[in-house]
Amino acid sequence: MICIPHDPMIAMTRMSIREKSTLDLACRRILVLIALTSLMPLRASAEERPTSLEILPSSISLTGPRDRQGIVVLFHGEDGSTRDVTASARFDVKPRVASVTSGFVSPSEDGSGELSVEYADQVLRVPVKVTGSHDPIKLDFRNDVLPVLTKSGCNTGKCHGSAAGKDGFRLSLFGYDPAGDYYRLTRETGGRRIQLADPDHSLLVNKALGRVNHTGGQLFDEGSESHAILLHWLTAGAQSDAEDAPKPTSIDVFPPEAIFSSSEQEHRIVVRANYSDGSDRDVTRFTVFVGNNDSAATVSPAGIVSSHGAGEAFILARFDKFTAGTSVIVRPGTPFHSPETPAHNAIDELVYEKLNKLHVEPSPLCSDEVFLRRVNIDLAGLLPTSAEQNEFLRDTDPDKRTKVIDRLLARREFLDLWIMRLGELLQLRSNNGMSDKGLLLYDRWLRDQVHQGKPLDELLAELLQAQGGTFENPAVNYFQTETSPQILAENIAQVFLGTRIQCAQCHNHPFDRWTMDDYYGFASFFSQVGYKIAQDPRELTVFNTGTGQMFHPVDKQAVAPKYLGGEVPSIQPGEDYRAVLVRWLASKENPAFARNFANIVWSHFFGRGIVEPVDDARVSNPASNAALLNELARRSANYKFDVRQLARDICMSRTYQQVTQTNPTNARDQRNFARQIVRRMRAEVLLDCINQVTETTTDFAGLPLGGRAIEVPGGRSMNYFLETFGRSPRSTACSCDVKTSPTLSQALHLLNGETTTNKIATGRVVETLLAKMKPMDVAAELYRRCYGRAPTAEESTAIAQRIPADDPRPALEDMFWALLNSNEFLFNH
Amino acid sequence: MGDPRTRLCSTTDWKSATLVLFCLAGATRSEESPAQPAPSFLEVKAVLKKHCVGCHNAEEARGELDLTTQESILMGGVGGPAAVAGRPEESPLYRLAAHLDEPRMPPGNRPRIPQRDLALLHDWIKAGIASSSPPSEQAPSREEMPASPVQPNHVTLVSPNPIARPTPITALAVHPTTGILAVSGQQQILLYDLGSSTWSGAIPFEGELHSLRFSTDGKILLAVGGVGAESGRIVGYNVGTWTTFFSIQDDTDAPLSADISPSNELVAWGGPNRVVKVATTKDGQIKYTLTKATDWVMCLKFSPDGLLLAYGDRFGGLHVAEAQSGKDFATLRGHAKSVTSIDWRPDANVLATASEDGTVRLWDMQQLSELTKWDAHPEGVLALALDAKGLLATAGRDRRVRSWTEDGQLRADLGVSQDAIFELAINSRDNEVVSGDWSGRLARHSLNDRQSSSIDIPMGSASPALPSLDVPAPSLAKVSDASQPNRPVSASDIDRKLAALRAIETAAELMKEEAARHPNDPSLTKAYLQICEAAIAMKADLFKIESSPINTDGQASH
């Protein structure tokens, strides 16, 4: 293994420059030497020949005199890394319809030609089409002026894009309302902001250039293109856009993926906008770039990405109302040989594919003890008994792990865990005057449906178009939990499509694809839900009114129902809008549903989703492993959303069965599942496990004696332990409602609270065990109960020293208390 | 006194000693250079205005600090005096601007102000602040500062300068008796004789015009405007001779509205800084300020009897003050949006206001209550005028000019223009209304035959040359050899710089102690400051290296 250099290397990248000492410097020199020597043989065999060269975009169309197109010449190395070699490539256009400088194609004459790109003895060709190269320049407000304002940051939330504006001037946030921005710039105040007779003395120009006092300072330079665009537009009369002016319809970002072989490298990003008239433009210089992990890679305002340290980053590009991005991988830059880790199933293959890209090695398989404890907690919410442990450890069947998984999945508990999760997703709780009767009926209904084997898609179909009284048809309760169409739409999007659209209620989402049109189109599905009080005043009747519409707040027009990220469906007269929604929700046309389902299930077994947070999939927060998520989604749909079958696949994978211990390559990575993640047990499961090992019960309101914490209905726990350990109050649809982060009160409660001490006392476990076995065997039994393993030799010696032979009970109970307070008990690992 | 150099060298390591010596040498050199004259407050004012006054002015005064006058700087804010004469190193004004102390100014991670400006502040404080010009004798309060009277001078009426291209009409007034129309032009006030329908000339005016108004007696033409967010000018011209009667400079912003009292003794103006200032026309001294407006002051007008002053703001606020004392008289609630225009009935008993909320409201000034209101231009009323004969004319975003009876009955639609009409005036002599719209169209609307006709503004014949629009080629990613990652800044380079910075910081500390021990030796203080500056420059340099290329976007926040 050549992992000796890894450790100091990682330590160094973490360290800020200030902290470096000469010692580090010496280390670094040695490292470079090691790296160079180990690279020598590789270089000799690879030589300097690209394994493949790529030109992006693959065709170039220039429309009008100002249209340009930037090109990215990508060199794909043998090791899968990419290099931007645009600056070293040679360009030629024949016939000469266009010229190329700095990888920027400019029109010369109308016509068609071919751009040839030469690099390292390879030549590639892409077609070039030029039209309107000598047409007069005409600037649009939305397509030319507004991008200048957005790029300069004028309409951000902390500047003029704030709801109240800034210093008396308001713009729409990131330009979601071009017509309103045009109005405010030109006509809101008669002559203050622009001067048509003398454009260069317009306040707009003076402020942006910092010529006069401006809170935002100088935004661009005198004589810059941005300055010239404002002047040109003002000089031409600050005209509003024609009705038929082209509108941007989408953006493309090149390259979609960059894999840096080491730090200190650069890639250029080119952004192309496509317009409604079929034309396209290079809008890189008016695109706002934002990176999400500066320690791996940063992006300059011009779109140059620089790698800094090993890791992943996502570079978000925003232009007009569109967001897209480039995913960036930065490798550590040290030699890497892909390990031949055996895959248990397709999940492992897809995980390793990604790990190889990152140059990360997976951790080894966990021991039988660890596996049994882990899988019991995850599939049953309980710890394995010592009898189960003995049986499993003695079993010599090579398929014994599979057998355990199947046995656990067949138990009722796994579905109870799933019902608890569904209860959180549906916010099953008493709210908006929901009576206890309604709540219990609703909880019972959900429990019955799942235990009867109803797949999630069918369950939702019934729920989302439910009609009638909340008592007579408990599914109706979903519409009592939230009653506003907007919040219903937000919740459905967040919980079942895994995306948060809340931002788009007031403005286009700045970091995602959602626009206000999407938001109100989706909310419109719930615009015809009617309510009335039933005969029993505690009961609410929900029905389809057949009338009612959502109105767009910007243009005040009615918005037709539109699938989120999908089409505007055709709706028959009199049809319940919700039925139309259900038709699409879990269908093949909506892959987001299956992806979200798979992600939620996955996160149960790893403590984090492939998209994390699970309900916040965004353009700017993509899946850490899209191929894996898609495969799981495909399987989910095939399994008809049967959670047990998907859980089985996951538990069978080697990825799930890895140890939590790290190796030098995966120590800093939690996103790519190169090891298991240490997870604190959820509040409900933890309490059940404490009850299990102490042989006690807890009284829960609404449950019979002996009921389990995972079955508690509603959002009110009425139990101090559950509240302290972060049981979800189910007050919002957010996955963040379940908390597993440690707090001081949790530690204090375990140390001093009644749960541990009282339960040890009332359960009399030690006393009972002592009647049957020797004190040291009791200690071993307690270890197996709590940790799923026997004490080590060292631990046994330490325990033996502390247990007095005459009265072992108090000492053993103290040890039991200590076990319950330890991290090894509280965590699933 | 011991030689600080030897002491410094003995207490720091050798690597840094050279640097310290270098700095001290620099300090000595500049000390020996011929003494430059202390900067004037005018120069300092320009610096402050560029970087500080946006937040620290008489109206806004963040941290209760007003940096517009010498006195207010000495008075300081919540943290005490902003400057101590002769001691820049003890003056927060300098220390915060030099980033020697928190909070760094200007705030919000903005860069330090340029070294040249910083040095100017330093030298000005060093030179003693007030000693450069005598403090005002009457020790005026802070509101009384911005205005400075200018001696009357002669203005020759020139022939109108053709306007390059159509531009919104932003100001318009008609003389009460002679039919002279004054209208905003490009850097000029255009004068038109409505009687003979001819252009009679133009008065040059620097900056944009935001309001024109003839005094009640017709003797003075009041013009107000300036450069937005930079400076304002309030000028009174003697009608006929067109000489300057008074001229007042307001260094905060270009006012949007102004009026002169019926007696011609007071002039009032207001604008985006939300304050109405009232000055005497005799000497330009501020008499009082009105601060009830919560948004831009859009319009203001003295009552015809000279007793009251009404002003409206962009938030819909409408306030009335006593014209002589500035005491609040009334706040009239009703308008939901910007109050755009204001006028009085000649008997001063009724106030008429127009608003973006689409209504015109009449107010009973005896009862201080709303008399009546009506929807005059639903998209927003932008201009309103009342005349002695009881005529009420309005114009608005719907491009229409309308006349009304006093109880809100539409008398007549007087015409439709090409764009929103922002300006309106009544020409009582010829029984007509003159309007100016956003597209630059100037029109007269007869009340007799309800016909409209355009008044052609002198325009340049050449079509405007559009500025060139080059598309700059972008920068490219540097190509790195796969086997040898490019390192623009070597680690050893940074380490060297860090060691030097540490040394220079130590030196600065020592020098500070030394200077404190010898308060009478200015050379020590100066040396200390220079070391500090060097340290700051090095820090900035290091920061640049560490964080380059830095994502200066900062737009991720939402």
PDB file of all heavy atoms in Angstrom, chain B residues 49 59 146-148 224-227 230-234 247-255 269-271 273 275-277 286:
ATOM      1  N   LYS B  49     -17.062  62.358   1.636  1.00  0.00           N
ATOM      2  CA  LYS B  49     -18.287  62.243   0.872  1.00  0.00           C
ATOM      3  C   LYS B  49     -18.281  60.974   0.021  1.00  0.00           C
ATOM      4  O   LYS B  49     -19.283  60.287  -0.111  1.00  0.00           O
ATOM      5  CB  LYS B  49     -18.404  63.461  -0.030  1.00  0.00           C
ATOM      6  CG  LYS B  49     -19.743  63.583  -0.645  1.00  0.00           C
ATOM      7  CD  LYS B  49     -19.903  64.964  -1.167  1.00  0.00           C
ATOM      8  CE  LYS B  49     -21.014  64.931  -2.166  1.00  0.00           C
ATOM      9  NZ  LYS B  49     -21.075  66.134  -2.924  1.00  0.00           N
ATOM     10  N   GLU B  59     -28.717  63.684   8.237  1.00  0.00           N
ATOM     11  CA  GLU B  59     -30.043  63.076   8.236  1.00  0.00           C
ATOM     12  C   GLU B  59     -30.006  61.650   8.750  1.00  0.00           C
ATOM     13  O   GLU B  59     -30.838  61.216   9.520  1.00  0.00           O
ATOM     14  CB  GLU B  59     -30.634  63.081   6.821  1.00  0.00           C
ATOM     15  CG  GLU B  59     -31.114  64.437   6.368  1.00  0.00           C
ATOM     16  CD  GLU B  59     -29.992  65.309   5.881  1.00  0.00           C
ATOM     17  OE1 GLU B  59     -29.084  64.793   5.206  1.00  0.00           O
ATOM     18  OE2 GLU B  59     -29.989  66.516   6.198  1.00  0.00           O
ATOM     19  N   PRO B 146     -25.253  72.310   5.664  1.00  0.00           N
ATOM     20  CA  PRO B 146     -24.939  72.037   4.274  1.00  0.00           C
ATOM     21  C   PRO B 146     -25.072  73.212   3.313  1.00  0.00           C
ATOM     22  O   PRO B 146     -24.402  73.250   2.309  1.00  0.00           O
ATOM     23  CB  PRO B 146     -25.936  70.940   3.891  1.00  0.00           C
ATOM     24  CG  PRO B 146     -26.693  70.609   5.115  1.00  0.00           C
ATOM     25  CD  PRO B 146     -26.390  71.603   6.150  1.00  0.00           C
ATOM     26  N   ALA B 147     -25.927  74.110   3.637  1.00  0.00           N
ATOM     27  CA  ALA B 147     -26.163  75.158   2.661  1.00  0.00           C
ATOM     28  C   ALA B 147     -25.048  76.195   2.688  1.00  0.00           C
ATOM     29  O   ALA B 147     -24.523  76.534   3.733  1.00  0.00           O
ATOM     30  CB  ALA B 147     -27.491  75.836   2.944  1.00  0.00           C
ATOM     31  N   SER B 148     -24.683  76.685   1.541  1.00  0.00           N
ATOM     32  CA  SER B 148     -23.715  77.777   1.503  1.00  0.00           C
ATOM     33  C   SER B 148     -24.169  78.770   0.439  1.00  0.00           C
ATOM     34  O   SER B 148     -24.336  78.413  -0.717  1.00  0.00           O
ATOM     35  CB  SER B 148     -22.330  77.243   1.172  1.00  0.00           C
ATOM     36  OG  SER B 148     -22.398  76.530  -0.031  1.00  0.00           O
ATOM     37  N   VAL B 224     -34.596  73.620  -9.191  1.00  0.00           N
ATOM     38  CA  VAL B 224     -33.907  72.743  -8.267  1.00  0.00           C
ATOM     39  C   VAL B 224     -33.528  71.439  -8.974  1.00  0.00           C
ATOM     40  O   VAL B 224     -34.235  70.962  -9.855  1.00  0.00           O
ATOM     41  CB  VAL B 224     -34.774  72.490  -7.012  1.00  0.00           C
ATOM     42  CG1 VAL B 224     -36.055  71.786  -7.370  1.00  0.00           C
ATOM     43  CG2 VAL B 224     -34.032  71.701  -5.973  1.00  0.00           C
ATOM     44  N   GLY B 225     -32.377  70.914  -8.610  1.00  0.00           N
ATOM     45  CA  GLY B 225     -31.907  69.684  -9.240  1.00  0.00           C
ATOM     46  C   GLY B 225     -30.488  69.401  -8.793  1.00  0.00           C
ATOM     47  O   GLY B 225     -30.107  69.746  -7.683  1.00  0.00           O
ATOM     48  N   GLY B 226     -29.725  68.802  -9.663  1.00  0.00           N
ATOM     49  CA  GLY B 226     -28.347  68.490  -9.310  1.00  0.00           C
ATOM     50  C   GLY B 226     -27.936  67.137  -9.851  1.00  0.00           C
ATOM     51  O   GLY B 226     -28.489  66.663 -10.840  1.00  0.00           O
ATOM     52  N   VAL B 227     -26.983  66.540  -9.182  1.00  0.00           N
ATOM     53  CA  VAL B 227     -26.513  65.229  -9.583  1.00  0.00           C
ATOM     54  C   VAL B 227     -26.976  64.237  -8.522  1.00  0.00           C
ATOM     55  O   VAL B 227     -26.644  64.391  -7.346  1.00  0.00           O
ATOM     56  CB  VAL B 227     -24.973  65.217  -9.704  1.00  0.00           C
ATOM     57  CG1 VAL B 227     -24.492  63.822 -10.098  1.00  0.00           C
ATOM     58  CG2 VAL B 227     -24.521  66.251 -10.711  1.00  0.00           C
ATOM     59  N   GLU B 230     -25.273  62.858  -5.236  1.00  0.00           N
ATOM     60  CA  GLU B 230     -23.996  63.567  -5.212  1.00  0.00           C
ATOM     61  C   GLU B 230     -24.172  64.968  -4.652  1.00  0.00           C
ATOM     62  O   GLU B 230     -23.600  65.323  -3.635  1.00  0.00           O
ATOM     63  CB  GLU B 230     -23.422  63.606  -6.638  1.00  0.00           C
ATOM     64  CG  GLU B 230     -22.206  64.462  -6.822  1.00  0.00           C
ATOM     65  CD  GLU B 230     -20.931  63.744  -6.406  1.00  0.00           C
ATOM     66  OE1 GLU B 230     -20.990  62.528  -6.193  1.00  0.00           O
ATOM     67  OE2 GLU B 230     -19.909  64.427  -6.278  1.00  0.00           O
ATOM     68  N   SER B 231     -24.980  65.781  -5.327  1.00  0.00           N
ATOM     69  CA  SER B 231     -25.108  67.158  -4.872  1.00  0.00           C
ATOM     70  C   SER B 231     -26.381  67.770  -5.433  1.00  0.00           C
ATOM     71  O   SER B 231     -26.879  67.342  -6.473  1.00  0.00           O
ATOM     72  CB  SER B 231     -23.911  67.977  -5.337  1.00  0.00           C
ATOM     73  OG  SER B 231     -23.881  67.992  -6.739  1.00  0.00           O
ATOM     74  N   GLY B 232     -26.881  68.746  -4.728  1.00  0.00           N
ATOM     75  CA  GLY B 232     -28.093  69.409  -5.165  1.00  0.00           C
ATOM     76  C   GLY B 232     -27.893  70.909  -5.275  1.00  0.00           C
ATOM     77  O   GLY B 232     -27.025  71.478  -4.611  1.00  0.00           O
ATOM     78  N   ARG B 233     -28.706  71.509  -6.125  1.00  0.00           N
ATOM     79  CA  ARG B 233     -28.625  72.961  -6.258  1.00  0.00           C
ATOM     80  C   ARG B 233     -30.036  73.527  -6.237  1.00  0.00           C
ATOM     81  O   ARG B 233     -30.947  72.987  -6.862  1.00  0.00           O
ATOM     82  CB  ARG B 233     -27.934  73.352  -7.568  1.00  0.00           C
ATOM     83  CG  ARG B 233     -26.474  72.914  -7.614  1.00  0.00           C
ATOM     84  CD  ARG B 233     -25.851  73.293  -8.932  1.00  0.00           C
ATOM     85  NE  ARG B 233     -25.887  74.740  -9.108  1.00  0.00           N
ATOM     86  CZ  ARG B 233     -26.191  75.343 -10.250  1.00  0.00           C
ATOM     87  NH1 ARG B 233     -26.491  74.620 -11.303  1.00  0.00           N
ATOM     88  NH2 ARG B 233     -26.200  76.639 -10.324  1.00  0.00           N
ATOM     89  N   ILE B 234     -30.199  74.591  -5.466  1.00  0.00           N
ATOM     90  CA  ILE B 234     -31.479  75.272  -5.369  1.00  0.00           C
ATOM     91  C   ILE B 234     -31.201  76.710  -5.776  1.00  0.00           C
ATOM     92  O   ILE B 234     -30.475  77.430  -5.084  1.00  0.00           O
ATOM     93  CB  ILE B 234     -32.036  75.204  -3.925  1.00  0.00           C
ATOM     94  CG1 ILE B 234     -32.165  73.747  -3.472  1.00  0.00           C
ATOM     95  CG2 ILE B 234     -33.373  75.915  -3.832  1.00  0.00           C
ATOM     96  CD1 ILE B 234     -31.005  73.205  -2.690  1.00  0.00           C
ATOM     97  N   SER B 247     -28.480  81.226  -4.709  1.00  0.00           N
ATOM     98  CA  SER B 247     -28.116  79.882  -5.137  1.00  0.00           C
ATOM     99  C   SER B 247     -27.611  79.129  -3.914  1.00  0.00           C
ATOM    100  O   SER B 247     -26.751  79.617  -3.190  1.00  0.00           O
ATOM    101  CB  SER B 247     -27.035  79.946  -6.213  1.00  0.00           C
ATOM    102  OG  SER B 247     -26.587  78.634  -6.482  1.00  0.00           O
ATOM    103  N   ILE B 248     -28.194  77.996  -3.663  1.00  0.00           N
ATOM    104  CA  ILE B 248     -27.835  77.220  -2.478  1.00  0.00           C
ATOM    105  C   ILE B 248     -27.360  75.846  -2.924  1.00  0.00           C
ATOM    106  O   ILE B 248     -27.947  75.227  -3.819  1.00  0.00           O
ATOM    107  CB  ILE B 248     -29.048  77.088  -1.522  1.00  0.00           C
ATOM    108  CG1 ILE B 248     -29.499  78.469  -1.058  1.00  0.00           C
ATOM    109  CG2 ILE B 248     -28.703  76.200  -0.324  1.00  0.00           C
ATOM    110  CD1 ILE B 248     -30.823  78.467  -0.325  1.00  0.00           C
ATOM    111  N   GLN B 249     -26.282  75.434  -2.310  1.00  0.00           N
ATOM    112  CA  GLN B 249     -25.722  74.127  -2.616  1.00  0.00           C
ATOM    113  C   GLN B 249     -26.101  73.170  -1.484  1.00  0.00           C
ATOM    114  O   GLN B 249     -25.970  73.521  -0.310  1.00  0.00           O
ATOM    115  CB  GLN B 249     -24.204  74.263  -2.707  1.00  0.00           C
ATOM    116  CG  GLN B 249     -23.477  73.015  -3.127  1.00  0.00           C
ATOM    117  CD  GLN B 249     -23.424  72.851  -4.642  1.00  0.00           C
ATOM    118  OE1 GLN B 249     -23.678  73.810  -5.375  1.00  0.00           O
ATOM    119  NE2 GLN B 249     -23.142  71.646  -5.098  1.00  0.00           N
ATOM    120  N   ASP B 250     -26.587  71.988  -1.833  1.00  0.00           N
ATOM    121  CA  ASP B 250     -26.873  70.982  -0.803  1.00  0.00           C
ATOM    122  C   ASP B 250     -26.051  69.746  -1.149  1.00  0.00           C
ATOM    123  O   ASP B 250     -26.227  69.141  -2.203  1.00  0.00           O
ATOM    124  CB  ASP B 250     -28.371  70.642  -0.792  1.00  0.00           C
ATOM    125  CG  ASP B 250     -28.721  69.647   0.308  1.00  0.00           C
ATOM    126  OD1 ASP B 250     -27.843  68.862   0.706  1.00  0.00           O
ATOM    127  OD2 ASP B 250     -29.880  69.655   0.767  1.00  0.00           O
ATOM    128  N   ASP B 251     -25.138  69.393  -0.257  1.00  0.00           N
ATOM    129  CA  ASP B 251     -24.161  68.373  -0.603  1.00  0.00           C
ATOM    130  C   ASP B 251     -24.632  66.948  -0.405  1.00  0.00           C
ATOM    131  O   ASP B 251     -23.826  66.033  -0.439  1.00  0.00           O
ATOM    132  CB  ASP B 251     -22.877  68.600   0.197  1.00  0.00           C
ATOM    133  CG  ASP B 251     -22.073  69.712  -0.416  1.00  0.00           C
ATOM    134  OD1 ASP B 251     -22.343  70.034  -1.592  1.00  0.00           O
ATOM    135  OD2 ASP B 251     -21.200  70.263   0.263  1.00  0.00           O
ATOM    136  N   THR B 252     -25.917  66.734  -0.152  1.00  0.00           N
ATOM    137  CA  THR B 252     -26.333  65.355   0.106  1.00  0.00           C
ATOM    138  C   THR B 252     -26.873  64.669  -1.141  1.00  0.00           C
ATOM    139  O   THR B 252     -26.477  63.565  -1.465  1.00  0.00           O
ATOM    140  CB  THR B 252     -27.387  65.293   1.212  1.00  0.00           C
ATOM    141  OG1 THR B 252     -28.441  66.186   0.879  1.00  0.00           O
ATOM    142  CG2 THR B 252     -26.782  65.708   2.538  1.00  0.00           C
ATOM    143  N   ASP B 253     -27.766  65.321  -1.836  1.00  0.00           N
ATOM    144  CA  ASP B 253     -28.401  64.655  -2.966  1.00  0.00           C
ATOM    145  C   ASP B 253     -29.115  65.720  -3.790  1.00  0.00           C
ATOM    146  O   ASP B 253     -29.231  66.865  -3.351  1.00  0.00           O
ATOM    147  CB  ASP B 253     -29.411  63.608  -2.461  1.00  0.00           C
ATOM    148  CG  ASP B 253     -29.664  62.515  -3.496  1.00  0.00           C
ATOM    149  OD1 ASP B 253     -29.548  62.808  -4.707  1.00  0.00           O
ATOM    150  OD2 ASP B 253     -29.981  61.391  -3.099  1.00  0.00           O
ATOM    151  N   ALA B 254     -29.576  65.341  -4.943  1.00  0.00           N
ATOM    152  CA  ALA B 254     -30.359  66.272  -5.752  1.00  0.00           C
ATOM    153  C   ALA B 254     -31.790  66.269  -5.238  1.00  0.00           C
ATOM    154  O   ALA B 254     -32.430  65.228  -5.219  1.00  0.00           O
ATOM    155  CB  ALA B 254     -30.315  65.852  -7.208  1.00  0.00           C
ATOM    156  N   PRO B 255     -32.310  67.426  -4.798  1.00  0.00           N
ATOM    157  CA  PRO B 255     -33.693  67.462  -4.299  1.00  0.00           C
ATOM    158  C   PRO B 255     -34.672  67.153  -5.430  1.00  0.00           C
ATOM    159  O   PRO B 255     -34.380  67.343  -6.609  1.00  0.00           O
ATOM    160  CB  PRO B 255     -33.875  68.892  -3.818  1.00  0.00           C
ATOM    161  CG  PRO B 255     -32.501  69.445  -3.691  1.00  0.00           C
ATOM    162  CD  PRO B 255     -31.661  68.732  -4.698  1.00  0.00           C
ATOM    163  N   TRP B 269     -36.838  72.785   0.324  1.00  0.00           N
ATOM    164  CA  TRP B 269     -36.607  71.719  -0.642  1.00  0.00           C
ATOM    165  C   TRP B 269     -36.494  70.370   0.062  1.00  0.00           C
ATOM    166  O   TRP B 269     -36.225  70.305   1.262  1.00  0.00           O
ATOM    167  CB  TRP B 269     -35.356  72.003  -1.486  1.00  0.00           C
ATOM    168  CG  TRP B 269     -34.051  71.960  -0.750  1.00  0.00           C
ATOM    169  CD1 TRP B 269     -33.236  70.898  -0.609  1.00  0.00           C
ATOM    170  CD2 TRP B 269     -33.410  73.044  -0.051  1.00  0.00           C
ATOM    171  NE1 TRP B 269     -32.122  71.232   0.121  1.00  0.00           N
ATOM    172  CE2 TRP B 269     -32.196  72.541   0.470  1.00  0.00           C
ATOM    173  CE3 TRP B 269     -33.733  74.391   0.175  1.00  0.00           C
ATOM    174  CZ2 TRP B 269     -31.324  73.340   1.214  1.00  0.00           C
ATOM    175  CZ3 TRP B 269     -32.858  75.177   0.910  1.00  0.00           C
ATOM    176  CH2 TRP B 269     -31.664  74.650   1.428  1.00  0.00           C
ATOM    177  N   GLY B 270     -36.728  69.310  -0.687  1.00  0.00           N
ATOM    178  CA  GLY B 270     -36.645  67.970  -0.105  1.00  0.00           C
ATOM    179  C   GLY B 270     -36.432  66.955  -1.208  1.00  0.00           C
ATOM    180  O   GLY B 270     -36.661  67.242  -2.390  1.00  0.00           O
ATOM    181  N   GLY B 271     -35.991  65.776  -0.808  1.00  0.00           N
ATOM    182  CA  GLY B 271     -35.703  64.749  -1.815  1.00  0.00           C
ATOM    183  C   GLY B 271     -35.472  63.397  -1.185  1.00  0.00           C
ATOM    184  O   GLY B 271     -36.023  63.090  -0.128  1.00  0.00           O
ATOM    185  N   ASN B 273     -33.301  62.102   0.616  1.00  0.00           N
ATOM    186  CA  ASN B 273     -32.798  61.919   1.979  1.00  0.00           C
ATOM    187  C   ASN B 273     -33.881  62.123   3.034  1.00  0.00           C
ATOM    188  O   ASN B 273     -33.583  62.173   4.225  1.00  0.00           O
ATOM    189  CB  ASN B 273     -31.591  62.818   2.237  1.00  0.00           C
ATOM    190  CG  ASN B 273     -31.927  64.268   2.002  1.00  0.00           C
ATOM    191  OD1 ASN B 273     -33.093  64.633   1.900  1.00  0.00           O
ATOM    192  ND2 ASN B 273     -30.918  65.099   1.924  1.00  0.00           N
ATOM    193  N   VAL B 275     -35.645  64.482   4.097  1.00  0.00           N
ATOM    194  CA  VAL B 275     -35.664  65.673   4.949  1.00  0.00           C
ATOM    195  C   VAL B 275     -36.100  66.863   4.111  1.00  0.00           C
ATOM    196  O   VAL B 275     -35.727  66.979   2.944  1.00  0.00           O
ATOM    197  CB  VAL B 275     -34.263  65.929   5.528  1.00  0.00           C
ATOM    198  CG1 VAL B 275     -34.249  67.208   6.342  1.00  0.00           C
ATOM    199  CG2 VAL B 275     -33.823  64.757   6.373  1.00  0.00           C
ATOM    200  N   VAL B 276     -36.919  67.712   4.726  1.00  0.00           N
ATOM    201  CA  VAL B 276     -37.226  68.993   4.088  1.00  0.00           C
ATOM    202  C   VAL B 276     -36.354  70.042   4.769  1.00  0.00           C
ATOM    203  O   VAL B 276     -36.314  70.123   6.002  1.00  0.00           O
ATOM    204  CB  VAL B 276     -38.713  69.363   4.253  1.00  0.00           C
ATOM    205  CG1 VAL B 276     -38.979  70.770   3.720  1.00  0.00           C
ATOM    206  CG2 VAL B 276     -39.587  68.338   3.543  1.00  0.00           C
ATOM    207  N   LYS B 277     -35.625  70.800   3.964  1.00  0.00           N
ATOM    208  CA  LYS B 277     -34.802  71.870   4.527  1.00  0.00           C
ATOM    209  C   LYS B 277     -35.420  73.195   4.127  1.00  0.00           C
ATOM    210  O   LYS B 277     -35.868  73.354   2.986  1.00  0.00           O
ATOM    211  CB  LYS B 277     -33.373  71.785   3.993  1.00  0.00           C
ATOM    212  CG  LYS B 277     -32.670  70.525   4.433  1.00  0.00           C
ATOM    213  CD  LYS B 277     -31.287  70.425   3.841  1.00  0.00           C
ATOM    214  CE  LYS B 277     -30.694  69.060   4.187  1.00  0.00           C
ATOM    215  NZ  LYS B 277     -29.459  68.796   3.452  1.00  0.00           N
ATOM    216  N   ILE B 286     -29.799  77.747   6.702  1.00  0.00           N
ATOM    217  CA  ILE B 286     -30.907  76.857   7.005  1.00  0.00           C
ATOM    218  C   ILE B 286     -31.643  77.376   8.234  1.00  0.00           C
ATOM    219  O   ILE B 286     -31.031  77.652   9.263  1.00  0.00           O
ATOM    220  CB  ILE B 286     -30.402  75.441   7.294  1.00  0.00           C
ATOM    221  CG1 ILE B 286     -29.593  74.919   6.114  1.00  0.00           C
ATOM    222  CG2 ILE B 286     -31.558  74.521   7.666  1.00  0.00           C
ATOM    223  CD1 ILE B 286     -30.356  74.164   5.106  1.00  0.00           C
TER     224      ILE B 286
END
